[in-house]
Amino acid sequence: MNIIKTINSRLCEEMQFALHESGLRVYVFPKKGFNKYYAIYGTEYGSLNSSFTVPGESEMITVPDGIAHYLEHKLFEEEDGGNAFDRFAETGASSNAFTSFDMTAYLFSCTDKFYDNLDILLSFVNRPYFTDENVAKEQGIIGQEIKMYDDEPEWRVFFNTLLAMFHKNPVKIDIAGTVESISHITPEILYKCYNTFYNPSNMALVMVGDIDINEALKYVDKHVSSERCLGKIKRYTPDEPYIRVKEYIEESLAVSQPIFRIGFKDNQPDMSGDELLKKEISTEIILECLFGKSSDLYLKLYESGLINSTFGTEADIQKQYGFTLLGGESSDPQKVYEIIKDKINFYVKNGIPKDSFVRAQKVLISQDIKLFNNLEGMGNEFIRSVLNGQNPLGYRDAVEAITYEETADRLKKHFDTSNCVLSVVKPLDGEK
Amino acid sequence: MKNINLKSGVDFHIIDAPKFKTNLLSIYLYIPFKRETVTKAALLPSVLKRGCTSYPTLKDMSCRLDDLYSASVSAGIRAKGDGEVLFFTSEYISDKYVGENLTLPIAEFLRDMIFSPLTEDGGFNKTYTESEKMNLRDAIQSLYNDKKEYAEVKCREAMFGKEGCGMFEAGYEEDIDDITPHNLYTFYNDVLNNAKVDIFVSGSIDEKAADDIKNIFDSLFKPRNAEYVKSKIADYRNGDIQNITENADVVQSKLCMGLICGVEPTSNEYFSLIVANCIFGGSPFSKLFNNVREKLSLAYYAFSRTVRFNGYMMVSSGIQTENYQKAYDEIMVQFDKMISGEIDDGEIDAAKKYLANAFNSMDDSLRQTEDYWLSQSIMNCNQTTSDLLDSINAVTKDDIVSVMKKVKLDTVYFLKGKAAEEAIV
């Protein structure tokens, strides 16, 4: 198989890539000197994808909310009644999985027997085993997981922000679904989802560590059949209106003081590859310039006691959705909201100071260099880049290539203060 | 690792780790963990982070760090058994990737932050102290926002009282009003002059960089008669198991169980305990995971962990309120299996491999490596990774059973949420 090597000499890092005949994209990032190995095997399928057409059929189907996450839990189950955790236990690897809005991923890290572990990973993800009994059993466990999140104020304030921003984009639906929605899940529906989205051309395998890609590819050959290459999946994504749903949303929970998020929905959808990366980087630069620890605004809000060290920002800019959030704890979220909107309007009108733009670029480049210290961080970050059609070693170049004008344009388009939202979780009556 | 004793009570440790793209420079000030000073110690780093004479505001500090290729600086406290450390840590890019050596300016930055705080009238800056007192009050109260953590802290407090390892590291609200810029500054000077000092640097450190660090801090830290406190392991309870229930307006209840292990942190028995814990509830193949979660579907999480310095164990689980008895009974059934020796060789083997993986992974993180060696210093130990692996591999089933026989349930803490019929959303 043809192996393409890319070297980034400034970072002293290398990437090896092979396209498997099944359509699976396989990557190795060699890390000599580290004891650890990390592998992450993911599919571009998450909670967003509840409406689609099963390959070979013509009609669109809609499946219960929370099914991608349910499927993630159930794949660990094996035909002999055991689970994949037990098999990893025999090698000492530490394994896990997660489901996000647009991706499901299975992973392990180990310091020994890498190829045995890779064998286990590829084997259980490629061998679904769902029965009425084992599917029903999971409802109790996931039911408790959903309830745990119902009590987590950080999770609630986050999801409420999405509800206030999005009318139709399924990003507003809780990843795990509801106790009610998951009660409709059956083995038959799980197989339909599996057969559609766990098709190799929709997946990537990223490995980090002192790994021989040719050896790893033998295990890919063993478990990933090229007959399962099904081509393009028909996903249904509803059109999202520009306008927010509502400006303000609140919920009362057992918390000590109000927690808030300010949200900006991304209204420049349908991008991928370098174009998407540019959008993400310009957003990060704006966040750093306007709200970073060296900004005037952060200083003003902190010194006035309106925010504390929990304040932070986050940009989640993907192919199928995008939003930017700011928030933390505050005794007066409404006031923070007004100050932030005023400041954004000021910068839209007067421009971001050039020196802070340059400083923000430096901050992003530094974060990128630091990423290469952490094997798990590399794997998690890079599987997302490759599924988005981006070069994992090209982040720094992309940061350096961003122009001041592009950033100014993004500020105007994305940070529209007449279309942003405020979400607050406040203490229950009777508590502080 | 290279250890250099700079003077009485002040040590310098250099860890050579060129595989990383960053270096880590840390100053640790070790003090006894006391009820009288816990809140002041928690407040100190926040005040120092606000500004110093060279960089008087948050913005000044932050801009300086951005210029040093976005170096990070964190300061805080970390409990270490019957002691705690006040830490100042900077992570910065190593010269190979930025073309200049940042160790000297980073060491100068930490020096300014630690030794030249903003002061007025013989105390800390009033505005910063008062504002950080408010933030600390909020931080202490916000423990309640995370119910899992809250239940664990309350269980620990019920076990040991508000002293020693029963204390909450963030301190206590009732102390805050009495803290003044003046008495906080007096306390800080006492810490600076008397605490045991450990300076760690790790990453790609050449001789010049090590000398720079030494030259900067050597004259500032005076010799001192400072020693680590030997942590006392928790005593068994006289009398019945404590049962505590607290009501909360939440959907999911939290069940927390505190157990006393009677195991010294530096004994061989400690290794039997961590293997046993791994089998009982400390891994994804543990008895708690496989039975409480997988078999009975009672919980999303159910795990146990041990606290080395003080010899106790915590079991933690999130359950539906009406399943309290079922979950409690199942946890005890699994606990009894550990004592009666219903453990198969596969479980022991898996536990050893799981721990070996964790020990071998430590070396791939600068922060973990540094924290490991700091704890080793505090315990007066010098165990390398291969020592740890040898100790784990020597553990037998008999060792596991006999150490588990010493583990006694002490306190059951139940954060009781709404019952199912009230909780339907």
Side-chain angles (χ1 to χ4, degrees):
Chain A
M1 203 170 302
N2 189 21
I3 291 159
I4 301 164
K5 290 187 184 179
T6 313
I7 288 174
N8 181 319
S9 53
R10 282 202 289 185
L11 281 166
C12 306
E13 293 289 335
E14 182 183 337
M15 174 172 84
Q16 300 172 359
F17 166 69
L19 182 62
H20 187 253
E21 57 184 12
S22 62
L24 180 69
R25 287 156 281 178
V26 180
Y27 293 83
V28 165
F29 295 86
K31 290 298 272 186
K32 294 234 187 305
F34 283 77
N35 296 336
K36 241 189 250 182
Y37 306 91
Y38 184 67
I40 180 164
Y41 185 31
T43 165
E44 199 172 347
Y45 168 54
S47 62
L48 289 173
N49 310 110
S50 53
S51 295
F52 55 91
T53 304
V54 178
E57 293 179 17
S58 54
E59 268 175 54
M60 183 190 86
I61 60 164
T62 298
V63 294
D65 291 336
I67 198 157
H69 171 257
Y70 209 92
L71 183 51
E72 172 227 303
H73 271 241
K74 286 328 298 173
L75 269 189
F76 279 87
E77 200 104 11
E78 305 209 299
E79 201 169 345
D80 58 7
N83 69 49
F85 285 120
D86 294 330
R87 288 173 64 202
F88 281 117
E90 288 168 22
T91 66
S94 169
S95 68
N96 214 333
F98 62 85
T99 306
S100 65
F101 296 121
D102 56 357
M103 179 168 85
T104 311
Y106 302 82
L107 55 95
F108 69 83
S109 83
C110 65
T111 53
D112 191 20
K113 302 200 172 85
F114 173 76
Y115 301 102
D116 292 351
N117 289 315
L118 183 63
D119 194 23
I120 300 171
L121 177 72
L122 293 171
S123 135
F124 86 83
V125 177
N126 285 293
R127 254 193 293 183
Y129 178 69
F130 313 132
T131 64
D132 286 331
E133 196 193 348
N134 78 22
V135 170
K137 188 204 79 175
E138 209 66 20
Q139 282 175 7
I141 299 169
I142 295 180
Q144 285 310 312
E145 188 178 1
I146 291 169
K147 286 178 180 159
M148 179 176 85
Y149 282 113
D150 284 344
D151 287 332
E152 279 180 15
E154 292 290 337
W155 187 251
R156 294 306 318 149
V157 77
F158 169 71
F159 253 98
N160 287 343
T161 318
L162 301 184
L163 284 175
M165 283 191 283
F166 294 99
H167 293 265
K168 292 185 172 165
N169 192 311
V171 70
K172 67 178 188 164
I173 298 162
D174 205 318
I175 292 171
T178 63
V179 172
E180 203 276 328
S181 75
I182 62 172
S183 70
H184 302 296
I185 293 175
T186 62
E188 190 203 351
I189 312 177
L190 285 175
Y191 277 117
K192 273 190 180 166
C193 294
Y194 180 87
N195 290 332
T196 305
F197 292 103
Y198 283 67
N199 112 44
S201 60
N202 193 45
M203 300 180 75
L205 171 65
V206 172
M207 295 168 279
V208 191
D210 193 357
I211 294 155
D212 176 357
I213 192 168
N214 287 307
E215 188 63 23
L217 283 166
K218 288 182 194 162
Y219 293 91
V220 175
D221 284 339
K222 179 175 163 190
H223 294 290
V224 185
S225 158
S226 45
E227 284 158 26
R228 283 189 31 229
C229 185
L230 300 174
K232 205 165 160 51
I233 298 160
K234 283 190 198 129
R235 301 164 199 258
Y236 171 71
T237 327
D239 286 335
E240 173 66 30
Y242 179 89
I243 199 79
R244 65 194 170 201
V245 178
K246 52 181 164 182
E247 186 175 10
Y248 182 71
I249 186 166
E250 70 168 33
E251 184 175 347
S252 297
L253 283 175
V255 291
S256 61
Q257 74 156 325
I259 298 172
F260 74 100
R261 288 290 180 279
I262 296 167
F264 295 85
K265 64 194 275 194
D266 190 14
N267 282 311
Q268 298 173 273
D270 301 325
M271 288 184 189
S272 65
D274 291 343
E275 200 187 11
L276 178 69
L277 183 62
K278 201 172 254 191
K279 186 164 77 166
E280 185 197 326
I281 291 172
S282 55
T283 312
E284 296 283 2
I285 288 178
I286 294 164
L287 289 176
E288 192 56 44
C289 293
L290 268 56
F291 314 109
K293 286 216 169 91
S294 16
S295 67
D296 293 328
L297 184 60
Y298 184 89
L299 182 74
K300 180 183 169 190
L301 290 171
Y302 193 101
E303 289 197 330
S304 62
L306 281 168
I307 60 168
N308 58 31
S309 58
T310 60
F311 183 82
T313 61
E314 165 190 3
D316 194 354
I317 310 290
Q318 307 299 338
K319 285 201 275 196
Q320 300 173 72
Y321 68 91
F323 53 79
T324 297
L325 304 178
L326 296 81
E329 295 169 4
S330 175
S331 54
D332 193 348
Q334 197 69 44
K335 199 163 174 187
V336 178
Y337 180 59
E338 295 304 329
I339 293 173
I340 284 180
K341 281 199 299 184
D342 281 350
K343 200 71 183 180
I344 289 172
N345 291 336
F346 171 84
Y347 283 117
V348 168
K349 201 166 153 228
N350 299 294
I352 296 168
K354 287 250 164 62
D355 62 334
S356 76
F357 172 78
V358 173
R359 179 179 289 132
Q361 279 180 311
K362 213 167 170 180
V363 171
L364 294 195
I365 289 169
S366 162
Q367 283 167 1
D368 183 53
I369 297 172
K370 286 179 189 169
L371 175 64
F372 289 86
N373 270 350
N374 177 337
L375 276 65
E376 288 95 336
M378 288 171 69
N380 296 344
E381 199 62 44
F382 297 162
I383 193 159
R384 197 160 259 298
S385 325
V386 301
L387 290 177
N388 280 340
Q390 297 153 358
N391 171 12
L393 298 185
Y395 189 82
R396 182 176 180 168
D397 295 336
V399 173
E400 286 170 346
I402 287 275
T403 65
Y404 180 81
E405 289 69 30
E406 284 167 332
T407 308
D409 182 56
R410 177 69 178 159
L411 176 64
K412 278 198 192 84
K413 286 188 174 137
H414 183 45
F415 292 88
D416 176 355
T417 54
S418 64
N419 199 35
C420 56
V421 307
L422 172 65
S423 161
V424 177
V425 162
K426 56 177 198 172
L428 297 163
D429 293 338
E431 295 182 37
K432 188 202 153 184
Chain B
M1 186 171 65
K2 203 161 129 193
N3 295 313
I4 305 163
N5 178 248
L6 295 181
K7 60 188 66 173
S8 173
V10 182
D11 290 288
F12 183 28
H13 315 269
I14 302 165
I15 300 170
D16 184 40
K19 68 183 175 185
F20 295 102
K21 292 195 158 44
T22 54
N23 297 334
L24 200 62
L25 173 60
S26 301
I27 316 293
Y28 292 100
L29 305 172
Y30 174 95
I31 54 173
F33 198 26
K34 286 189 193 150
R35 178 65 190 86
E36 306 88 82
T37 53
V38 62
T39 311
K40 277 184 185 159
L43 182 59
L44 267 181
S46 333
V47 174
L48 296 169
K49 273 191 282 192
R50 288 294 293 272
C52 58
T53 52
S54 340
Y55 311 104
T57 69
L58 273 179
K59 182 179 158 81
D60 298 324
M61 287 198 136
S62 190
C63 285
R64 174 65 182 149
L65 292 172
D66 284 353
D67 289 339
L68 297 171
Y69 294 87
S70 184
S72 70
V73 164
S74 52
I77 45 130
R78 209 179 297 157
K80 292 277 174 194
D82 292 346
E84 62 178 326
V85 286
L86 181 60
F87 66 84
F88 303 87
T89 292
S90 178
E91 185 175 10
Y92 56 98
I93 312 266
S94 69
D95 42 357
K96 188 174 173 187
Y97 304 99
V98 289
E100 59 183 296
N101 198 318
L102 300 176
T103 300
L104 181 62
I106 291 291
E108 286 170 343
F109 185 93
L110 290 179
R111 174 198 64 196
D112 293 353
M113 187 176 173
I114 297 169
F115 289 97
S116 313
L118 285 182
T119 55
E120 58 192 59
D121 309 329
F124 279 119
N125 174 294
K126 284 195 187 74
T127 316
Y128 287 176
T129 311
E130 290 310 317
S131 130
E132 290 309 323
K133 279 165 69 176
M134 273 171 50
N135 286 337
L136 181 63
R137 193 186 298 275
D138 290 344
I140 293 169
Q141 288 176 352
S142 71
L143 168 67
Y144 190 56
N145 298 355
D146 181 345
K147 302 297 179 291
K148 177 165 152 236
E149 173 78 9
Y150 175 79
E152 284 190 40
V153 169
K154 295 298 270 188
C155 182
R156 198 152 51 95
E157 187 179 296
M159 289 168 80
F160 307 116
K162 286 183 184 175
E163 55 185 70
C165 54
M167 280 191 295
F168 180 41
E169 303 89 87
Y172 295 93
E173 265 188 275
E174 62 260 34
D175 301 349
I176 293 177
D177 284 344
D178 293 334
I179 300 178
T180 64
H182 195 270
N183 66 26
L184 188 66
Y185 188 57
T186 308
F187 171 67
Y188 183 52
N189 279 312
D190 183 48
V191 172
L192 276 183
N193 291 323
N194 299 307
K196 170 76 182 70
V197 180
D198 286 280
I199 302 166
F200 277 86
V201 66
S202 41
S204 310
I205 301 299
D206 59 16
E207 212 163 306
K208 155 118 187 10
D211 281 345
D212 285 343
I213 296 166
K214 200 172 142 230
N215 292 337
I216 283 177
F217 293 105
D218 204 7
S219 58
L220 291 165
F221 286 115
K222 305 280 175 261
R224 65 223 33 229
N225 280 320
E227 276 176 17
Y228 302 117
V229 182
K230 189 178 183 310
S231 293
K232 202 181 147 301
I233 60 162
D235 290 326
Y236 293 108
R237 171 171 302 279
N238 286 318
D240 295 340
I241 295 164
Q242 279 195 98
N243 275 294
I244 297 164
T245 299
E246 181 183 335
N247 290 301
D249 201 350
V250 290
V251 182
Q252 187 180 71
S253 300
K254 308 288 181 194
L255 171 60
C256 230
M257 296 159 79
L259 303 97
I260 306 289
C261 307
V263 173
E264 288 288 346
T266 55
S267 64
N268 255 335
E269 214 177 20
Y270 170 73
F271 294 97
S272 311
L273 180 67
I274 57 174
V275 175
N277 177 61
C278 208
I279 298 169
F280 174 49
S283 66
F285 52 84
S286 69
K287 290 186 185 294
L288 293 185
F289 185 92
N290 275 328
N291 292 286
V292 180
R293 173 178 148 132
E294 291 294 307
K295 211 165 114 195
L296 298 181
S297 274
L298 287 170
Y300 172 64
Y301 72 91
F303 65 87
S304 65
R305 64 185 176 88
T306 55
V307 176
R308 182 169 190 175
F309 280 104
N310 299 101
Y312 65 93
M313 182 188 281
M314 279 278 183
V315 173
S316 188
S317 183
I319 55 171
Q320 216 160 299
T321 307
E322 49 275 35
N323 284 338
Y324 168 80
Q325 199 59 45
K326 263 193 223 166
Y328 175 88
D329 290 346
E330 186 60 25
I331 291 166
M332 292 316 289
V333 164
Q334 301 309 322
F335 181 70
D336 290 340
K337 281 188 192 165
M338 295 299 299
I339 294 173
S340 63
E342 278 183 59
I343 301 164
D344 64 48
D345 291 346
E347 288 176 296
I348 299 173
D349 187 51
K352 289 179 176 179
K353 284 180 176 151
Y354 189 76
L355 291 166
N357 182 46
F359 293 148
N360 285 321
S361 300
M362 215 158 55
D363 189 43
D364 286 351
S365 155
L366 286 173
R367 284 171 199 269
Q368 273 188 41
T369 304
E370 193 179 275
D371 188 62
Y372 174 78
W373 287 111
L374 175 69
S375 294
Q376 287 284 306
S377 289
I378 294 171
M379 290 186 294
N380 194 24
C381 277
N382 193 18
Q383 290 165 314
T384 61
T385 307
S386 73
D387 295 335
L388 296 179
L389 296 174
D390 289 346
S391 304
I392 290 296
N393 287 327
V395 173
T396 65
K397 182 174 165 183
D398 286 347
D399 296 336
I400 294 168
V401 171
S402 67
V403 78
M404 282 306 290
K405 282 185 176 155
K406 295 175 70 173
V407 178
K408 305 281 181 222
L409 182 58
D410 181 279
T411 298
V412 181
Y413 180 88
F414 187 48
L415 186 68
K416 189 178 172 190
K418 292 173 277 194
E421 62 272 18
E422 304 164 52
I424 290 168
V425 192

